[in-house]
């Protein structure tokens, strides 16, 4: 485990918080730093001393077995849980990040508000009504639902609801977007469409993205970097340099997917 | 391909409306009145044929005549007005208190710990069992009826408001907090709308109890109102007025329920179960 810690500190050295943002990013993303982050629920230790630095604008995917603490990590980052020990620094600051948004597997739309009203939830309360309307409409257009603003959420399909949730998250132009298996409940085709949508809005807006997924292929298709969580720690931290857009079935990516799956299912296999 | 399916679907729709002349001539809401109208016609017929003795159950026409008679004397309007006012004021008092406790105990754990056990204990006393005590306290004054109706209405409103707030999806509440909603906004935009379907169940339940309580209270201890009118008529063996009183209670109950349903449909438009 010392080797892992050493690797982490080396990585931190590689990505100091003042590092220039990456080629595709712009000034909007925030860097995220975790220092010795630990979380226990009662006697159960879910995360043990996680150290991590995510440069501004990076797209990070987090994979790991069910129950390994991926959601907990994400909730700690956006301030929905209190750490038992350690610190979360967003843009080098501590405390509940105001520019952070999180999307869940469930769309969590208000059933009693129209689609546009739901998107307006994501906007600054101090805006004038007409401006809110306009911005909500823009966000809906961004996810391809500009003509559904007056509908009730109940009439939308699962994929459409999740797109409304994405529009709501994007409406306030977040600097950090956390995604907790947002596509887990969607069918395969809808999922691929949503992956492309998420990639393109991320490229346009340049926020920092942290995606938790159980689908390794999805992580490889979208992320700059994949973190494998195991036993409450970051067991592997893999950069993915393949150019975008990435093509499913690319042999190099398929080989990487195989290695990550091996790593997930075989704890001794530390070939990566 | 899809054209032909559409066509057959349209044809089927036409066939259906042809095969159901009833739905073509009557608006949807009128169909519900068909059976009562038929029953009344049969009742009238049997009375005229002498199958139902008038001192047991007078004919509908006799009841209608009694209604005309009492309206002309002004008695009917007066008694309906008195009863409706009692029902309404008892409902407002009991409903408001129930709503306040329901909201307070749903939103504040402290308030719930403090009062819920007591309220649940009181709930186990049937409120109509208090009638002798209430008569001792208030005599047969208005306070007696107001107290009983308010008490009866309180519990369904309280329980269902509390239950509605408790069953609001915690994931939605968390979402509201993530998006920076303060307590006030969270209440108006997430908690209250989420609790509303359950609160309407309480409202309709409370309306039923409201009439029931009023009927009992007016029959036992009153000097005006529909129940009093029925008891007076019983002493003078005016069966037609007794039946009229019962029918008026039924109509008032139906009216209250229809208003509640209308409010429910208007405010729960988003709910797939209430959409038309
Ligand atoms: N609020 C909580 N209270 C108690 N235990 C929790 C709570 N949240 C998560 N856990 C536990 O923490 C572990 C990690 O959960 P989670 O982060 O949701 O896993 P993952 O998202 O990787 O599937 C699980 O064993 C889960 O039971
Ligand atoms: Mg999870």
């Amino acid at each position: 485990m010392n080797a892992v810690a050493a690797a982490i500190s080396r990585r931190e050295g590689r990505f100091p918080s003042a590092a220039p943002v990456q080629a595709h990013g712009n000034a909007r993303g925030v860097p995220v730093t975790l220092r010795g982050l630990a979380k226990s629920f009662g006697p159960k230790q879910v995360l043990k001393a996680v150290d991590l630095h995510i440069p501004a604008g990076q797209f990070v995917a987090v994979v790991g077995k069910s129950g390994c603490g991926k959601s907990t990590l994400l909730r700690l980052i956006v301030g929905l849980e209190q750490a038992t020990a350690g610190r979360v620094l967003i843009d080098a600051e501590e405390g509940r990040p105001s520019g952070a948004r999180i999307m869940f597997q469930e769309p969590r739309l208000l059933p009693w508000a129209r689609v546009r009203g739901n998107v307006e939830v994501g906007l600054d309360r101090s805006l004038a009504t007409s401006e809110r309307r306009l911005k909500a409409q823009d966000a809906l257009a961004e996810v391809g639902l500009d003509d559904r603003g007056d509908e009730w959420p109940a009439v939308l399909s699962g994929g459409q609801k999740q797109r409304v949730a994405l529009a709501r998250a994007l409406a306030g132009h977040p600097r950090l977007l956390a995604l907790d298996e947002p596509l887990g409940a969607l069918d395969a085709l809808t999922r691929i469409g949503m992956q492309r949508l998420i990639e393109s809005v991320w490229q346009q807006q340049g926020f920092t993205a942290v995606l938790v997924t159980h689908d390794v292929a999805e992580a490889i298709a979208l992320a700059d970097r994949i973190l494998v969580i195991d036993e409450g720690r970051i067991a592997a931290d893999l950069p993915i340099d393949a150019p975008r857009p990435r093509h499913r079935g690319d042999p190099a990516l398929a080989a990487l997917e195989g290695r990550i799956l091996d790593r997930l299912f075989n704890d001794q296999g530390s070939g990566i | 391909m899809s054209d032909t399916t559409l066509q057959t679907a349209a044809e089927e729709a036409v066939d259906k409306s042809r095969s159901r002349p009833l739905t073509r001539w009557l608006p949807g809401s009128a169909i519900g009145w068909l059976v009562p109208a038929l029953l009344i016609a049969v009742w009238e017929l049997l009375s005229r044929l002498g199958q139902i003795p008038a001192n047991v159950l007078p004919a509908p026409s006799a009841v209608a005549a009694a209604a005309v008679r009492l309206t002309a004397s002004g008695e009917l309007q007066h008694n309906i007005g008195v009863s409706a006012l009692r029902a309404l004021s008892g409902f407002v008092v009991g409903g408001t208190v129930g709503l306040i406790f329901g909201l307070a105990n749903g939103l504040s754990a402290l308030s719930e710990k403090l009062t819920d056990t007591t309220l649940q204990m009181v709930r186990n006393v049937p409120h109509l069992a208090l009638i002798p005590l209430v008569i001792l306290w208030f005599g047969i004054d208005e306070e007696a009826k107001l107290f009983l109706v308010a008490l009866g209405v309180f519990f369904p409103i309280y329980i269902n408001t509390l239950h509605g707030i408790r069953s609001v999806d915690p994931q939605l509440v968390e979402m509201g907090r993530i998006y920076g909603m303060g307590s006030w906004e969270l209440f108006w935009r997430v908690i209250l709308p989420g609790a509303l379907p359950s609160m309407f169940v309480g409202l309709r339940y409370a309306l039923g109890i409201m009439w029931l309580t009023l009927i009992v209270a007016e029959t036992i201890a009153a000097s005006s109102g529909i129940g009093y009118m029925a008891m007076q008529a019983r002493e003078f063996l005016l069966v037609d007025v007794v039946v009229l009183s019962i029918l008026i209670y039924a109509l008032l109950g139906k009216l209250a329920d229809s208003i509640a349903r209308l409010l429910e449909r208007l405010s729960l438009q988003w709910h797939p179960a209430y959409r038309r």
Side-chain angles (χ1 to χ4, degrees):
Chain A
M1 277 303 139
N2 282 339
V4 174
I8 288 166
S9 56
R10 248 183 285 126
R11 269 197 311 274
E12 286 219 47
R14 263 212 327 261
F15 296 118
S17 44
V21 285
Q22 304 198 328
H24 54 71
N26 59 34
R28 217 179 256 137
V30 278
V32 177
T33 308
L34 310 182
R35 294 237 174 89
L37 194 65
K39 176 72 186 175
S40 306
F41 291 106
K44 187 175 167 61
Q45 204 174 9
V46 178
L47 292 176
K48 305 164 192 167
V50 172
D51 285 289
L52 175 68
H53 178 76
I54 304 173
Q58 193 173 53
F59 199 129
V60 177
V62 179
V63 298
K65 288 177 189 156
S66 177
C68 71
K70 305 182 294 293
S71 297
T72 305
L73 179 67
L74 218 54
R75 294 170 65 86
L76 283 165
I77 290 176
V78 298
L80 284 176
E81 299 276 2
Q82 287 292 309
T84 312
R87 298 198 295 167
V88 176
L89 300 168
I90 310 278
D91 208 4
E93 277 176 47
E94 232 170 323
R96 179 88 170 263
S98 59
R101 292 286 183 248
I102 183 165
M103 245 181 99
F104 300 93
Q105 182 163 344
E106 328 80 41
R108 302 199 184 183
L109 302 178
L110 298 173
W112 41 84
R114 309 257 178 192
V115 165
R116 188 179 296 106
N118 267 290
V119 176
E120 285 178 11
V121 167
L123 289 167
D124 190 346
R125 305 293 186 283
S126 61
L127 293 173
T129 317
S130 57
E131 201 173 344
R132 290 166 68 91
R133 216 185 138 83
L134 225 61
K135 291 204 172 196
Q137 196 58 41
D138 285 349
L140 278 173
E142 211 162 354
V143 300
L145 289 176
D146 34 348
D147 54 340
R148 309 304 293 270
D150 294 318
E151 310 258 25
W152 296 115
V155 305
L156 301 183
S157 71
Q160 288 169 332
K161 283 182 193 155
Q162 208 52 310
R163 278 196 276 162
V164 176
L166 181 62
R168 178 178 63 191
L170 296 175
H173 296 287
R175 306 183 66 195
L176 167 66
L177 182 60
L179 305 122
D180 193 353
E181 307 199 21
L183 314 182
L186 305 180
D187 64 87
L189 282 180
T190 312
R191 197 150 71 210
I192 292 172
M194 278 293 282
Q195 287 169 5
R196 294 200 173 135
L197 179 62
I198 289 173
E199 185 179 38
S200 79
V201 293
W202 167 72
Q203 283 174 325
Q204 281 162 29
Q205 298 203 1
F207 48 80
T208 307
V210 186
L211 167 75
V212 165
T213 177
H214 57 244
D215 180 353
V216 177
E218 180 171 290
I220 291 175
L222 293 175
D224 293 324
R225 175 182 177 193
I226 295 183
L227 303 175
V228 180
I229 308 262
D230 192 28
E231 310 248 312
R233 294 172 198 278
I234 296 177
D237 183 345
L238 312 155
I240 302 180
D241 305 321
R244 295 169 191 273
R246 293 175 185 159
H247 298 288
R248 285 166 181 276
D250 180 324
L253 294 180
L256 181 61
E257 182 179 345
R259 282 188 2 244
I260 294 175
L261 285 171
D262 282 348
R263 179 69 191 77
L264 280 173
F265 287 107
N266 178 8
D267 290 341
Q268 305 91 279
S270 51
I272 43 176
Chain B
M1 243 339 244
S2 63
D3 272 356
T4 49
T5 28
L6 273 180
Q7 211 178 357
T8 41
E11 276 167 8
E12 248 172 41
V14 170
D15 282 346
K16 263 187 192 159
S17 70
R18 259 189 219 131
S19 65
R20 275 201 249 136
L22 218 59
T23 49
R24 255 204 309 171
W25 299 117
L26 283 171
S29 55
I31 291 177
W33 293 100
L34 208 63
V35 174
L38 213 67
L39 281 176
I40 289 176
V42 171
W43 170 13
E44 179 77 38
L45 190 72
L46 289 178
S47 299
R48 299 233 166 156
L49 292 175
Q51 297 293 313
I52 306 176
N55 61 351
V56 172
L57 194 60
S61 54
V63 175
V68 171
R69 202 173 68 234
L70 290 174
T71 311
S73 72
E75 234 177 297
L76 189 64
Q77 302 91 302
H78 172 69
N79 284 322
I80 289 181
V82 167
S83 289
L85 190 67
R86 279 176 190 152
L88 210 68
S89 45
F91 181 84
V92 167
V93 172
T96 307
V97 179
L99 191 67
I100 289 172
F101 273 97
L103 291 177
N105 291 3
L107 297 171
S108 146
L110 176 69
S111 166
E112 194 197 342
K113 271 191 198 137
L114 217 60
T115 61
D116 190 59
T117 314
T118 314
L119 291 174
Q120 297 294 345
M121 265 160 50
V122 177
R123 186 166 80 115
N124 286 314
V125 179
H127 69 297
L128 293 177
L130 296 181
I131 286 181
L133 195 60
V134 169
I135 292 179
L136 279 177
W137 288 346
F138 303 109
I140 59 168
D141 288 344
E142 287 311 303
E143 290 91 339
K145 268 84 70 183
L146 186 93
F147 180 85
L148 284 171
V149 172
L151 194 63
V153 162
F154 171 84
F155 285 103
I157 299 279
Y158 167 68
I159 302 277
N160 287 287
T161 303
L162 181 61
H163 173 259
I165 289 181
R166 287 245 193 84
S167 54
V168 171
D169 184 356
Q171 293 189 333
L172 283 185
V173 176
E174 189 181 71
M175 182 281 297
R177 289 193 197 285
I178 296 167
Y179 282 94
M181 290 187 188
S183 319
W184 195 243
E185 193 185 0
L186 202 62
F187 174 74
W188 283 109
R189 299 197 65 179
V190 181
I191 296 173
L192 189 65
L196 217 50
S198 171
M199 288 166 75
F200 269 112
V201 172
L203 172 70
R204 291 179 56 192
Y205 213 95
L207 288 176
I209 291 196
M210 172 185 87
W211 289 118
L212 193 72
T213 310
L214 194 68
I215 292 168
V216 175
E218 283 189 342
T219 308
I220 294 171
S223 54
S224 60
I226 308 286
Y228 172 75
M229 189 172 88
M231 289 315 282
Q232 285 289 97
R234 181 193 58 100
E235 280 189 28
F236 298 107
L237 298 176
L238 298 172
V239 192
D240 50 355
V241 176
V242 174
V243 173
L244 178 68
S245 307
I246 294 168
L247 287 179
I248 286 172
Y249 272 131
L251 285 176
L252 286 176
K254 172 80 183 147
L255 182 71
D257 194 59
S258 300
I259 294 172
R261 270 171 192 268
L262 183 72
L263 286 177
E264 192 174 36
R265 254 218 317 279
L266 287 178
S267 47
L268 300 182
Q269 279 176 51
W270 55 269
H271 204 295
Y274 296 95
R275 204 169 301 133
R276 311 203 112 214

